[in-house]
Each structure stands twice: as structure tokens, then as C-alpha cells.
Amino acid sequence: MTVSVATLGFPRIGLRRELKFALERYWAGKSPLTELQSAAAGLRALNWGRQKALGADILPSNDFSLYDHVLDTSALIGAIPPRYDWAGESVDPDLYFAMARGTQADPAHAGCAHAHDKTAMEMTKWFDTNYHFLVPELTAGQRFRIASTKIFDEFSEAKALGYPSRPVLLGPVSYLMLAKGKAVEPLALLPALLDIYAEILARLSTLGADWVQIDEPCLVLDLTDDQRTAFERAYARLATRGPKLMLTTYFGGLGDNLDLVADLPVHGLHLDLVRAPDQLEPALAKLQPHVLLSLGVIDGRNVWRTNLPDLYWRLKGLAAKRDLILAPSCSLLHVPVDLALETDLDPEIAQWLSFAAQKVEELAALAKALNEGEDASFAAFSASRIAAVARTTSPKIHDPAVAQRIAALDEGATCRASSFAVRRDAQQARLALPTYPTTTIGSFPQTPEVRKARAAHIKGEIDDAAYAQYLRVETRAAVKWQEEIGLDVLVHGEFERNDMVQYFGEQLAGFAFTRAGWVQSYGSRCVRPPILYGDVSRPAPMTVDWWRYAQDQTTRPMKGMLTGPVTILNWSFVRDDQPREASCRQVALAIRDEVQDLEAAGAAIIQIDEAALREGLPLRRAEWQHYLDWAVESFRIASSSVRDDTQIHTHMCYSEFNDIIRAIGKMDADVISIETARSQMELLGAFETYAYPNEVGPGVYDIHSPRIPAEREMTDLLTLAGKHVPARQIWVNPDCGLKTRKWDEVRPALVAMVAAARSMRARAAVKEAYLAK
């Protein structure tokens, strides 16, 4: 029996974010397409070589993407939304990036293809991760055709470099389940889509592919009978169309879908044994002996080192009975590239960690031990055992004072003093805001100058006083500009913040930070998640001084800006030695302390962003309520200590709210802002059905695109919003923070947004006067 090592995908961004910088140079017109393509090819070659050198036997191809692998699939099968005026030719980079980012009409290029003003495709979270994908848009009568050769080209590219690979392909049923249909149920398009998938597999076979990794992550979800039937039909058709199929599932267990999967005529099956370790034995009992098992035994979504000796003894008996593939639980897209770059990290903490490169090494050491005996990996196993013991016994992990605070929490810690109706009157008396009040979500553009100043401060090239003075100048200018354009509720711009989670984690006990621990969020957007390794507390105020300085520059309300406990948790690499809810309550108490200090300093409005609340929702509905109970409780611990006349805001990113609207209501925030521009206010349907009583800020400016929306576009969106939510409840704001945009985009967009709000107020006044007659 043989044990081999596979990777399901490797980080695309490069060791030092080379892809990000190449993309942004190309988008800015500073480099030609050939330079971007060359950079991408170089990264792919490095990734294949690195994985091979680290001990991987089976390398993926087509796991690389210039923006998003789901968008790549849409391009592959020719699923191009009608608004892009696609003529059926091959999908070129202009069209590809138009779908990802939208386009702005340019009179100077009126005759060019794709030069019209087009909105980007809707973006949402990839299952319960912080990665975003572009939602496929399908129409009645949708026709599919192979419109991109990327999957074939990259397989051939790897082969030419001497790296036989296993192409990665998003499965047809998961693709359709993730899609949105206009006048069509996406699964009804399965027969036509299968024709194209059969053609794709046949072409890969002709090129020499022996196996294809076909990803069907939706198999870990609750499935309807129609969805189950779709899987049966799909693999009955595809299993004999060329290469052998490694059906790949991740982010959870098969559960009640195991019987379905066991009957599919595939040649191999990948199981996530990190999220669902208990599914191995039932799977072994159900699967045919000829099915090659790929076991996801190393966590592809977190950074903790694996206890290799323990894992060895769990797998030893099975490895003696059948061939196995060892793999990460999912693609390594979700973890940083290489721990070796972290030379400044506390060595004690560093020994507990494993990034993408180290995870491949762990797999190789484990496979070697299973093939040749435990002594063959003696050094790796010894280091693993030492690290596991050190982490368990480290005094850095537990803080008795935090445990005492958690034990002292009672029901009163999670309740506001009065109902929303009472609070609303008190807040309006204090704030005197107009109808359709305008604000932004928090951050303003982090310009090259801002980033340069931060880098110089970190390197010691400018001292604390000089850096603080620079930030004060930027903050004062942002406040004055907001006053000039007429925003009602201001923000300080967050120029001192590197990231909405990292900034807080750096000031909280229990967190560690990396210098190069970047992971992709979407496109060129990368984040460095904090590492939550121990008990959490707040040694000192984190935001009060900057809020106070900004408020001193204006008489208008200045929001205090905080990141909520659930989002800090979900956007961090979280310790795995205690339940997630225990860590979340600790973070909630730290944020509660900050809220109280902001209110004591005079803040009338405090925003506690919970951008990631929904993405932490378990994939199985039976587990939802437990998660929502502790997530909502944590938000309320953070937010409930304030007076009635202090207004609590929250913000949520791209999410489907229909299924959790009751939990959103229980959060009891006075105002919630949400991302709705790309969906044309579709997400507000949940708020209408629920009769959401509090106030809502539906986004009217898509900040994930460089497009500058016109006033008319925003008034149209606000008019749509008014069909779902009464005007008295509506705030006017962008979809999200403006950190990633440029000032020459932000300035005209916010001016148009304020004008749109004033237009809506005028309409409301006319309507009110008419009704008064």
C-alpha cells in the first residue's frame, strides 16, 4: 500500500504579494498586459516548484486565478451576463476584469469594446470563509460554450515545465447552486452545462490529464431532493468522459449526503477530516474498495501546527490496508504562504504555527512515516511533539482575570436599558438628524502617501511625534472635507489603522501578528489575519484619543469606529484549544470596555462593525441556532452598556440576510448598514418581510469597483430601498469602507451621494406637504 501527498490549491498571491502589485499596475495603466501575464506565469512556476520541493506528489493546476476561480469558471463555460454585450468570442482580459470590477464609461474610448458603463457582478463570501467570489448570473435560455482556454493552457504549461498536474475544476452542480438565475432555476440548466463539462474533460484527457480534481463543496450542505438528483445525473454523465475524477469536498462533513456520494461513479473522494473527523469510519463502511481516498488531515484554513505523532497513530492501520492520498482539508488559499518570513514573531508562538509551505512539509513527513515507518520522520515528529506540549503548558495562553470576568457576566450585560422606540426619540433629540441622513462606513482612502508614512514609522525613519502630526493633518483635512460636502454624520477616516481587525488585535492581549502573513480576500485585496493564541483583554483604550481629536474639529456628530467581536474572531486565525464562542465572549468584553470609554469621552454615535457575522454561520442549518445565539450575545455584550441617547450602529458585508434576519433583529443595533448596491437592493427584501423596526443604511455606492456612480443611479437605488423599508428608517451611505479606493473616485461619488439624499428629502417633503392638504 502507498501513501502519497496532494495539495488541493496553493496561495496565488505570491510570497510577497507579487500578484497584487502586478494586477494593480496593470489596472492603473502602468504596465502592459504582457507584464501581468509574465508575472502570473512566474508565480505559477514558483508554486509548482515549491510544492514539489516540499514533498507534494500530486500538484494542482488551474488553482491559480487573476481574480477569482468562480469567475474563471464562468469565463470557461461562457456564462457572461447580458449587460456586458458579449458577442460569443473568447473571454479577453478586458471583459474578465469588467465582470470583476465593473467599467466606467469613457467618452474618449466610446468606440472600444467593453468601454461602456457596466456594473460589476455581485460578490459574496465563499461558504464560511473570508474569501469572496463573483456570483454567476444565469438567464433563461442560457447557452454555454468553452470561452476560455485557461484550464487547458495551465495544465500544458505545468507539463512543459516538468510538473505533471491534476487540473482543478469547480463541479457543475456546486457552480449552479452558487449561481443566481434570472427567470430560471439554475439547476434547470444542468443538462446543457454537462455537455460543456464533458467536452472540457475530454479535452483534458487528450492533453494527457489522468485525473481531474472536481470540487463539489456543496456536498457538505443540506441538500434538497432536486439537488441530490442533480449530483446523480451529473456524475453518471461525467464519470466516463475521460480522466478519472477525484470528487473533492471540504469545509465540512458529508453527513446525510454520504449515501449519495458513495453511490456516485467517481474514482476518488476527498474528505475534510479537520472539520469532520468523525466521517472517516462511516465513509470507509460505505465506499467501494476501488475508490481512492484523499484524506484532508492538515487544516487548510488555520495556522496551527499539527500533532504529527497523534495523526500517525490514527492513520497507521488504514494506511496498511489501502492506498491513500494525504492532503490539506481544503485549498491552502486561505493561509499565508511561508512561516519562514516571520523573523520578528515571538519564537515561542512561532513554533506552534504552520503556513502553506509548512503544511506541505507536514504532509510529506506524515506520508514518509506511514510508508517507511515512524523513525523515517523522527526529526519532524519530535519537533511536532515538543511544540504541542509547549503550547499546552505555556503561561501565555490563560489569564485568570479574564476567566473571572466571563464568569461574572449576567443577563443584564446583554440588554439595552430601553426599547428601540424609546431610544430613537432620545437619539433624535440629541442628534437632530434630517431624513435620509448621510454618513460613510468608516475608512477613507489609504493613499500611497499614507502607506509610505506608516512604513517609515514602522522602520523608525520618522518618530512617533512626526507620525502623529502627519495623521492629525490627514484626519483634520478629511473632517473638513466631509463638512464641506454636507455629510451629516462624520468619520475620522482611520488613517492610523492598518486593517479593521489587525489594528485592534495589536492592542489586545492574546493576539500575535505577522509581517508577511497575507491571504487573499478578493482580487488584489489581501489581509493579514491576526493570530488569536490566548485569552483576550484590553490593556488600555484603543480609539478614544483619535475620536476625541476628530470630534474637536467639528460640531457635527463624529462616529466612534470599532470592529465587533464576532468579526474580529471570524477574521482571525483562532485558537483551537477552546470553543470559538469562549474566545468571542472574551473579545466582546474588551470591545465593551472601549465602547464605555468612547461614550464617557462624549461619543453620541458608536459603530461596532460585524461585517463577518454571517460568514461564521455553520454550513448545516441544524447548527445555526447555537452559533447565532452566542454571536448575537457577544455583540450585545459589546454594545449594551450605553445610555438610551447613544446611538449604536453596525455594518455587515455582502451576505444573504433572509435566513438570519431574526438574529439581526435580536442584535438590537439602532442602525445597521449593509452592502446592497450590486444586488440592486435585493437584500432589503428580508428586512421588509421581517418588518425590521430599527434603522437601515442600504449601500448605494459599490466601493469594490472603481466605477463612480451618478446621482441618478443612487436616487434610483434609494427609491428601490423605499419599496422595502419606510423612508424614516433609511440612512444613505456607501456599501463599505473606502480604504481601498482612490480620492478621485471617492470625492465625486460622495458628492453625488449627498446630492441624492437631498433629492430624496425634497421628494419626501413634497409628498408630506401633499398629504397634509
Side-chain angles (χ1 to χ4, degrees), residues 4 85 111 170 215 260 289 435 448 453 497 525 571 610 633 664 695 743 765:
S4 54
D85 302 320
L170 179 60
D215 288 1
L260 164 68
T435 56
R497 303 186 188 183
R525 170 74 169 142
W571 286 357
E610 285 295 12
E633 178 196 56
I664 292 173
E695 296 177 6
W743 275 112

Side-chain angles (χ1 to χ4, degrees), residues 5 23-24 29 137 151 157 197 272 278 338 362 367 379 436 481 491 513 538 541 561 569 602 694 720 741 746:
V5 172
L23 281 168
E24 292 177 355
E137 300 175 22
I151 188 171
E157 184 181 316
Y197 268 73
D272 183 342
D278 294 338
D338 194 346
E362 287 182 305
Y436 294 100
W481 180 75
V491 297
F513 289 86
R538 187 199 68 148
M561 297 299 306
L569 185 88
N694 300 15
L720 282 174
R741 301 267 52 93
V746 167

Side-chain angles (χ1 to χ4, degrees), residues 502-637:
Q502 182 179 348
Y503 178 78
F504 291 96
E506 285 177 340
Q507 300 181 77
L508 295 171
F511 283 88
F513 289 86
T514 64
R515 288 292 181 90
W518 298 98
V519 296
Q520 185 183 28
S521 180
Y522 62 88
S524 67
R525 170 74 169 142
C526 302
V527 295
R528 275 186 302 172
I531 298 169
L532 198 171
Y533 67 84
D535 288 344
V536 178
S537 60
R538 187 199 68 148
M542 302 179 286
T543 67
V544 175
D545 286 346
W546 281 112
W547 175 85
R548 185 182 285 114
Y549 175 78
Q551 184 64 82
D552 286 346
Q553 311 305 310
T554 182
T555 58
R556 298 187 187 187
M558 177 66 59
K559 283 196 286 190
M561 297 299 306
L562 305 175
T563 302
V566 184
T567 296
I568 289 176
L569 185 88
N570 285 337
W571 286 357
S572 298
F573 292 122
V574 180
R575 58 191 291 190
D576 58 359
D577 61 338
Q578 70 176 12
R580 290 173 66 85
E581 56 261 42
S583 295
C584 198
R585 291 187 184 98
Q586 293 177 0
V587 180
L589 280 175
I591 299 302
R592 180 186 180 93
D593 292 342
E594 190 71 12
V595 167
Q596 290 173 340
D597 284 348
L598 280 168
E599 184 181 50
I605 302 178
I606 302 171
Q607 182 168 309
I608 308 172
D609 287 342
E610 285 295 12
L613 187 140
R614 197 196 188 284
E615 78 182 42
L617 196 67
L619 299 179
R620 292 287 189 156
R621 190 175 289 268
E623 301 168 12
W624 283 14
Q625 197 57 54
H626 174 68
Y627 167 78
L628 290 171
D629 284 347
W630 64 254
V632 170
E633 178 196 56
S634 295
F635 178 82
R636 292 179 66 140
I637 289 170

Side-chain angles (χ1 to χ4, degrees), residues 471-489:
L471 294 175
R472 282 193 289 269
V473 170
E474 292 293 312
T475 302
R476 183 166 60 248
V479 172
K480 294 304 179 186
W481 180 75
Q482 291 173 82
E483 286 187 319
E484 289 170 8
I485 69 169
L487 284 167
D488 300 301
V489 174

